[in-house]
Structure formats: C-alpha cells, structure tokens
Amino acid sequence: MSNSEETFEGWEGFKEGSWSNQIDVRDFIQKNYTPYDGDESFLEGPTEKTRRVWDTLDSKYLSVERKQRVYDVDTDIPADVDAFDAGYISEDDNVIVGLQTDVPLKRAMMPFGGWRMVETAIKEAGKEVNPEVKKIFTKYRKTHNDAVFDIYTPRIRAARSSHIITGLPDAYGRGRIIGDYRRVALYGVDKLIEEKQKDKDRYIDKPFSEHWSRYREEHAEQIKALKKLKTMASKYGFDISKPATTAQEAVQWTYFGYLGSIKSQDGAAMSIGRLSAFFDCYFERDFKRGILDEKGAQEIIDSLVIKLRIVRFLRTEAYDQIFSGDPYWATWTDAGFGEDGRSLVTKTSFRLLQTLVNLGPAPEPNITIFWNEKLPEGYKRFCARVSIETSSIQYEADEQIRQQWGDDAAIACCVSPMRVGKQMQFFGARVNAAKALLYAINGGRDEVSGKKIMEGYEPIKGDGPLDFDEVWEKYEKMLDWVVGTYVEALNIIHYCHDRYAYEAMEMALLDSELVRTMGCGIAGLSIVADSLSAIKYAKVTPVRDETGLVVDYKTEGDFPLYGNDDDRADDIAATIVHTIMSKIKAIPMYRDAIPTQSVLTITSNVVYGKATGAFPSGHEAGTPFAPGANPENGMDTHGMLASMLSVGKLDYKDALDGISLTNTIVPSSLGRTEDEQITNLVGIMDAGFIKKG
C-alpha cells in the first residue's frame, strides 16, 4: 500500500505489521489492541444528545411500529447500496449516521430474492404494490425464488409442504455472511477496489471455464458494490475512499460497510462481526492524542448501537411466525482469548455492554460473549450483572470455537462461528429430525395429514410394543431420504442465489479465496432422544387410527431423559447428531462447501411443533419443540448445570455450525443479594463451559 498522506494520517501511531502491506485486519488488532483486566468503574452514562436521539426515535417511530407491526414501506425503489437519499432520526443524529432508507424504520423491498414474498409483505403492511415494479420482476427480471422452483424436484416440494424441511431460504436472503466491515475503516474503499481488481485479473490468462467466468463476474459485481458504497457515504457528507483518521471515523466507516450490506440484502442473519478490540485501537489512540474522552467514546458506541437496533427488513407474517418475531441477528461477537494467550477483552467490550444500561435492554444487536473461565474477573462479573438486569446477552464457548476457527472468529446468526473475512456460509435452515422418526414408524406417511410423502418405505406393523432395534433401523433409512432431499434443496437454493441474488457488498469485504461451509441443521433433538429412550427402556405401544396410521403412543414405565446428565439418554442424543452429520458429509456440496451442522431452533421450534404429531416421549401433537439442544420442556429435573453437561456430550465436531442451549433463570434463585447472584451465575457459566459446554 502506498504511504499517501491520507494513509499516513489514518495509520499514524499504530504499530506496523503484515497488515500494512496486505489486507489483514486480525494482524492489525493483534499488533495494536490494549487488553483490559479492570472493572466497569470507568464507564459513562448516556450523554444528553444520546438521550434526545433515543427519545425521538421511541416517541416518533418505535411507538408507531409497536402498534402496527410495520412503520412504513417504500414501494417504489428496489433496494440497493446507494438507492436512497440520506436519512436521519433527528437533528441531533450526527454522531454515527446512516439509515437503511431515508426514514427510520421505513422498510425497503428487495425483490431479487423473490417477488411473491415482497408483494405479500407489502399488502400485509397495508400498502399498494407499484405496478411498474411488479411488471419488472414478474415479466423482465427472473428472481432467485423463480429459479429455485424451476429446479425443485417433486420430492423436495413434498418434503417442504409437509414441513419435514422448514424455513429453507428459497424466497428470502440467505444471510450467514459476515462482511469484514472493519476493512472499510482500516484501508479505505479505494484500496479495497484496487485489491479486488488485482484478484479479478489474477487468472486472466486461464482458459475459459465456468469457474473462471463466474469468478471474474462476481469480482466485477463486488467492485461495483464498493463504488456504490462510496456514493452512499458521500450522501452523508463522508469520503470513505481513504482510511479512517479518528475513532469516530473508524466506527462510522465500519458502519457504512455494514449499512451497505443491509441496504442491499435481507439475509436471515446479518451479523456485524467482531468489532470491540478493533474499535478500541482507535479509541486508545484518540485518548493519547487528547481528542477524545470516555463520555465521547461511550456516545459513539451508543449511537452505533441505536442504528443496529433499528435495522428492519420487509418480511411476511408467515416469516415472522417461522422466526417467532422479526429478528435479523445483527450479532456482535466479543471477548474470548487470542491465540497468543492474551484476553481480547478491551474497554470497548465494557462499552458495548454499557449500551444495555444506557439505552435499556434489547435483543439487537445480538451481543455474544466468547466465554472462558480465564477471562478477567471484572469483565465476567459485569457480564453476569448485565445479564441479570437485562437478559440481553448470549454466551458461547471460546476455547472450542478458537481451536476450530481461530481467534478472529465471529458468530453469524445465533451460534454459527466463522473466521471473519475469510469464510462464508451457505445457510440452510434445518430438517425436522423428530418428524423423521414418526415417518420411519409410519413408512413415509405424514402423521398429521395421512398423506404418503415417501414411497418405498414400509411402516412398522402390528399392535405390540415397539422394538428399539427395528425402529432405529427404519429411522436410519428414513434419514437417508430426508437428509438427501434436504441437501439437494440446499444445493439448488445456493446455486440460484449466487446467480440471481448475489451478495456483492458483503462478498466485496471478504477474501477472494474463501472457505465455504454448508450450514445444515436439525430440530427436535430432545424429542427423538427421549422417544428412543422410551422405546428402549420402557414399553411403548403405538395407537393407530382407522387407516392404520400411528397417531399416538401409550408409554408405560420409566425411562432416562436427555438433559439430566444421564449417559443413557445423552448418548442417544449424541448418536443422533453424529448419524445425521455422517449422512450429510456423504453428499457432494455446491461449490465444494464444507458441510457443518447446527442443533438450533431458538425461534422456529414453535412452528415445527405445530406441524408435528405425538411422540413416545409423551410430547403432545402440535405443541412447541424445546429450542435448540435443550432438554424437552419440563423434562429436565436436575437443574441448569446438568442440562449444560448433557449438551456438552454432543460432539462439537458433529455440530461445527453450533449448538444452542437456552436457559431461563429467575435472578432471585441465584442468591439473596446482587453480589451472591453475580458470583453464582459466573460459577455456573465457568462450570458449564469447562465441561465442553
């Protein structure tokens, strides 16, 4: 990189390294961040400006949205990085600026994913469709959704309609791509364009191939997106062509990168990455320069978080039902340890948590802490305190993630880790592993509709008790069909998404040579584990309707339950996860993606339950599944730590896309005083994560 005057100003005071000569944000952080092992006593409350902006946002916009679901929709302008004029919350909104459209909470339509969903969402919001826009995207421009359904096979359609596979990203943005938004601040957009042009021309002399042509075309789209990003920032009065020169600019430049992504894609999870240590380098430099104080630093982070709290996408009511609301998972990953053994906790790690105090609790951004029992005690206690007060933090296992994905990994969505800037995921929703068990027993007939979904599968016959070995054999065979159909659908979806709804902005902020994973997932783990445990250790007799379809079960006797640190049930759960992952691995993936699996239904467990019948475990038809890898609702009788230990027995290598455990604790149950509650929560977290949680 040339040492231009602007570059020198942007990098002045930072220690040089490989990052000075190539795109390497991690190296910049490692060379320049300042670990912090103190407590929260340095933090500041909200400034008057922060209060005014937040109050205006709440009174003029959020209060309206709470009454009518959707504040407003722009029905005339298809979304893009630079499609809208600058927008502000209020006159005071001048610390970190930028809205998805020109008005807070106004949602943009993104029709490249699929017109039908856009049209439905517009009408559900009480708006009228622009006929000219509809004509373009139904007559002249093929969408991702159109292409997917052109290719879908009859068996995929059958599995989709029967809800054994649910939530496929075949009509909305796939998400699970974390652009390295920090690159905008550290290098400036002109350097990023220069590097992408070099990458595009790297293989210019190679003979024609599909890969070669796609590679060049995708890089051309990325370069166009970066140019649009400069245009968008200029509408707010900023020139982001060169590196940021102050902490405020570093946060603003980084946010512009993220803003460009959420202006142009409506992915199911639009995580912002791992930012605190990066930002802290700039804050510490400005403190030394004497141009920033702690109140100003907190104001900058508060302002950024306000913007992250008002990200909105145009969704249908059906989408909201799948995800139990309108989440977008602007996940911000923090803490953990570096590979050199230093804690990655900085003062900005505290500032991020302080936003939950200054602005009040909120689900977004989805603050995710990489927990390690060796983290600074002051930080651990502050995390526990804020968790108790706000219920707005989630925790993940630092050691396991770092060993697999390195020390600059971040979470995409809820539990899916990846190396920032060097990796992306083909997101794939999940299969209903519980329903597959009922299909195995019924020979491919749906237990709710009675329809034959899979041909060539014989049901279990007779009215006697179920035999574990017979059920397991049929379940494995049924999983062959379900997993094969599922992965086939994912390959189709991502082939079409790359062609018709490519995420040029996000991909422009990633390395050109990427690791791609295929994020598969399962739902209903605890139900299958408990049901197989019941069949193995108790007496389970099927109850049939007049057509011979098994619609219920009579279970007699006790059986071990998953989630209580009982190896008999927990080993069944681990075997299920391993079996499904083995079947996924056996199938070729689009673009040679590495298959991964999650045990995750933080939100969609309600929808899965509605579409599924009764089980040998006693789970009633139509009732919600337990979320993620949780024990069945009401079945965990040995406390939170026992459930953490059970989940810890699931092999992380079989679920590299993440394992979710959601626990609810009444603060008073942790102790009588605040100090006791904090100490005990830290102790529970330490114990659970030490045991491979």
Side-chain angles (χ1 to χ4, degrees):
M1 176 176 285
S2 62
N3 274 328
S4 66
E5 184 177 336
E6 294 87 349
T7 296
F8 180 77
E9 186 181 356
W11 294 356
E12 184 180 8
F14 290 136
K15 295 178 184 176
E16 294 184 358
S18 65
W19 68 270
S20 312
N21 302 304
Q22 62 185 5
I23 306 296
D24 190 348
V25 179
R26 178 194 174 273
D27 182 67
F28 166 78
I29 294 169
Q30 290 294 314
K31 294 288 194 304
N32 289 284
Y33 88 99
T34 305
Y36 177 69
D37 60 4
D39 61 19
E40 71 271 27
S41 58
F42 71 93
L43 289 169
E44 293 281 350
T47 64
E48 286 303 312
K49 179 183 290 186
T50 298
R51 291 182 189 276
R52 287 196 302 270
V53 171
W54 183 248
D55 289 345
T56 299
L57 179 66
D58 187 66
S59 61
K60 290 185 63 176
Y61 301 101
L62 291 171
S63 62
V64 176
E65 187 182 62
R66 285 192 288 266
K67 297 175 183 177
Q68 62 187 43
R69 181 176 170 265
V70 174
Y71 177 81
D72 194 10
V73 180
D74 190 296
T75 60
D76 299 319
I77 305 174
D80 202 352
V81 176
D82 60 351
F84 291 92
D85 289 333
Y88 302 87
I89 297 170
S90 65
E91 291 182 359
D92 284 329
D93 181 17
N94 57 11
V95 178
I96 300 299
V97 301
L99 302 177
Q100 283 175 287
T101 59
D102 55 343
V103 176
L105 306 184
K106 182 199 282 187
R107 304 180 190 220
M109 56 178 171
M110 299 187 182
F112 294 99
W115 175 255
R116 283 173 290 179
M117 178 173 276
V118 168
E119 183 170 13
T120 299
I122 289 172
K123 291 179 178 179
E124 288 175 348
K127 303 293 181 179
E128 294 295 325
V129 170
N130 183 316
E132 289 302 313
V133 176
K134 180 176 180 178
K135 184 178 181 180
I136 291 169
F137 287 95
T138 55
K139 185 174 182 179
Y140 300 117
R141 179 57 159 83
K142 190 171 187 176
T143 67
H144 160 239
N145 183 247
D146 292 333
V148 167
F149 276 85
D150 280 348
I151 303 174
Y152 267 176
T153 61
R155 71 172 185 168
I156 295 175
R157 288 174 179 263
R160 190 178 185 274
S161 63
S162 67
H163 305 290
I164 197 162
I165 302 174
T166 299
L168 290 169
D170 50 20
Y172 59 89
R174 56 189 166 193
R176 301 282 185 90
I177 301 173
I178 308 174
D180 191 355
Y181 307 111
R182 306 167 301 187
R183 295 182 181 190
V184 180
L186 185 56
Y187 296 104
V189 174
D190 282 356
K191 179 62 178 177
L192 301 181
I193 292 173
E194 177 187 329
E195 292 299 314
K196 284 296 179 181
Q197 188 65 52
K198 288 179 183 177
D199 289 340
K200 179 188 175 186
D201 293 338
R202 183 171 296 158
Y203 304 114
I204 197 169
D205 296 325
K206 283 193 176 264
F208 175 85
S209 68
E210 183 179 352
H211 170 76
W212 176 87
S213 56
R214 177 169 59 185
Y215 181 90
R216 284 184 57 77
E217 182 184 22
E218 288 181 349
H219 277 72
E221 291 300 309
Q222 292 172 27
I223 291 167
K224 290 175 188 175
L226 288 167
K227 291 177 179 178
K228 290 178 182 178
L229 186 65
K230 289 175 61 176
T231 300
M232 182 265 284
S234 70
K235 293 180 180 181
Y236 286 94
F238 291 96
D239 176 6
I240 60 172
S241 61
K242 304 302 179 184
T245 61
T246 65
Q248 186 169 356
E249 283 189 356
V251 176
Q252 180 68 72
W253 271 222
T254 301
Y255 174 60
F256 276 144
Y258 181 70
L259 184 60
S261 295
I262 59 174
K263 278 176 171 283
S264 56
Q265 282 290 333
D266 60 346
M270 298 295 285
S271 300
I272 198 168
R274 192 165 185 162
L275 304 178
S276 293
F278 176 74
F279 287 158
D280 204 74
C281 298
Y282 289 87
F283 283 129
E284 288 296 316
R285 186 179 67 167
D286 280 6
F287 289 147
K288 291 176 183 177
R289 289 171 165 176
I291 62 173
L292 186 70
D293 59 15
E294 184 55 42
K295 188 172 285 291
Q298 186 65 53
E299 183 178 65
I300 290 170
I301 296 300
D302 285 347
S303 183
L304 174 61
V305 167
I306 287 174
K307 297 301 187 299
L308 298 181
R309 289 189 179 190
I310 58 173
V311 175
R312 296 291 185 271
F313 296 113
L314 182 61
R315 308 291 201 193
T316 63
E317 292 176 0
Y319 180 98
D320 288 359
Q321 289 174 4
I322 291 174
F323 293 100
S324 298
D326 188 17
Y328 42 93
W329 288 291
T331 304
W332 182 325
T333 303
D334 210 343
F337 276 83
E339 292 170 7
D340 61 2
R342 291 185 297 162
S343 162
L344 283 161
V345 172
T346 64
K347 284 189 173 181
T348 300
S349 303
F350 281 82
R351 294 177 187 119
L352 174 62
L353 298 181
Q354 181 70 3
T355 65
L356 295 168
V357 178
N358 289 355
L359 304 175
E364 302 283 1
N366 179 22
I367 297 174
T368 300
I369 306 301
F370 281 179
W371 188 270
N372 190 308
E373 72 276 8
K374 297 176 183 177
L375 286 173
E377 192 66 21
Y379 181 71
K380 292 195 321 185
R381 292 185 65 82
F382 189 55
C383 285
R385 195 191 103 193
V386 175
S387 283
I388 290 168
E389 292 177 355
T390 70
S391 298
S392 298
I393 309 175
Q394 71 171 20
Y395 299 91
E396 312 237 357
D398 169 60
E399 188 170 339
Q400 292 190 59
I401 291 172
R402 176 165 29 86
Q403 288 174 357
Q404 188 67 40
W405 308 108
D407 62 6
D408 196 34
I411 298 298
C413 190
C414 314
V415 297
S416 306
M418 62 184 66
R419 295 178 188 266
V420 179
K422 302 185 177 300
Q423 186 178 337
M424 67 160 288
Q425 182 190 104
F426 295 134
F427 166 59
R430 52 203 58 86
V431 296
N432 191 333
K435 194 176 184 74
L437 177 64
L438 303 184
Y439 275 36
I441 293 170
N442 279 310
R445 285 181 71 191
D446 189 272
E447 75 286 354
V448 177
S449 68
K451 293 180 181 178
K452 184 77 170 177
I453 304 299
M454 296 94 158
E455 298 295 336
Y457 291 85
E458 289 294 319
I460 290 177
K461 298 176 182 178
D463 296 322
L466 295 174
D467 176 74
F468 177 83
D469 291 334
E470 181 185 13
V471 171
W472 179 258
E473 181 182 3
K474 287 186 177 293
Y475 185 49
E476 270 219 78
K477 290 179 180 178
M478 185 56 61
L479 287 174
D480 287 334
W481 191 99
V482 172
V483 169
T485 304
Y486 175 46
V487 174
E488 182 179 63
L490 296 183
N491 284 334
I492 291 168
I493 288 166
H494 295 295
Y495 166 79
C496 294
H497 209 294
D498 276 350
R499 290 190 69 192
Y500 296 101
Y502 181 66
E503 300 93 337
M505 186 69 259
E506 291 162 274
M507 300 301 290
L509 298 173
L510 303 180
D511 287 358
S512 293
E513 301 295 339
L514 280 174
V515 173
R516 292 177 172 86
T517 60
M518 184 69 80
C520 306
I522 59 172
L525 174 63
S526 59
I527 299 173
V528 188
D530 286 353
S531 293
L532 289 172
S533 177
I535 293 168
K536 186 172 185 177
Y537 294 104
K539 178 182 176 182
V540 177
T541 306
V543 177
R544 302 179 186 274
D545 67 10
E546 62 276 6
T547 69
L549 182 72
V550 178
V551 294
D552 205 350
Y553 301 87
K554 180 180 179 183
T555 301
E556 301 171 89
D558 297 326
F559 54 94
L561 295 165
Y562 164 74
N564 294 286
D565 196 20
D566 187 319
D567 286 345
R568 293 173 297 169
D570 297 344
D571 287 349
I572 292 174
T575 300
I576 294 163
V577 175
H578 178 75
T579 299
I580 295 176
M581 189 65 237
S582 298
K583 294 180 184 298
I584 292 171
K585 284 181 177 179
I587 304 171
M589 301 286 161
Y590 171 63
R591 295 186 84 162
D592 298 320
I594 300 167
T596 59
Q597 179 177 217
S598 65
V599 186
L600 170 68
T601 44
I602 287 178
T603 53
S604 53
N605 47 300
V606 176
V607 172
Y608 276 103
K610 286 182 179 179
T612 307
F615 286 87
S617 63
H619 185 96
E620 296 180 1
T623 58
F625 288 5
N630 274 49
E632 257 285 73
N633 298 316
M635 299 294 195
D636 51 327
T637 59
H638 288 62
M640 177 178 170
L641 183 56
S643 68
M644 294 178 77
L645 295 175
S646 288
V647 172
K649 296 173 191 176
L650 305 178
D651 192 337
Y652 183 51
K653 292 180 180 179
D654 289 327
L656 288 174
D657 195 40
I659 303 168
S660 166
L661 172 64
T662 306
N663 274 305
T664 301
I665 310 173
V666 178
S668 60
S669 68
L670 290 168
R672 290 175 294 179
T673 67
E674 180 185 57
D675 186 67
E676 284 181 356
Q677 292 171 4
I678 291 171
T679 299
N680 289 332
L681 182 54
V682 168
I684 290 172
M685 298 282 287
D686 282 347
F689 282 112
I690 287 172
K691 296 293 185 179
K692 298 184 180 181

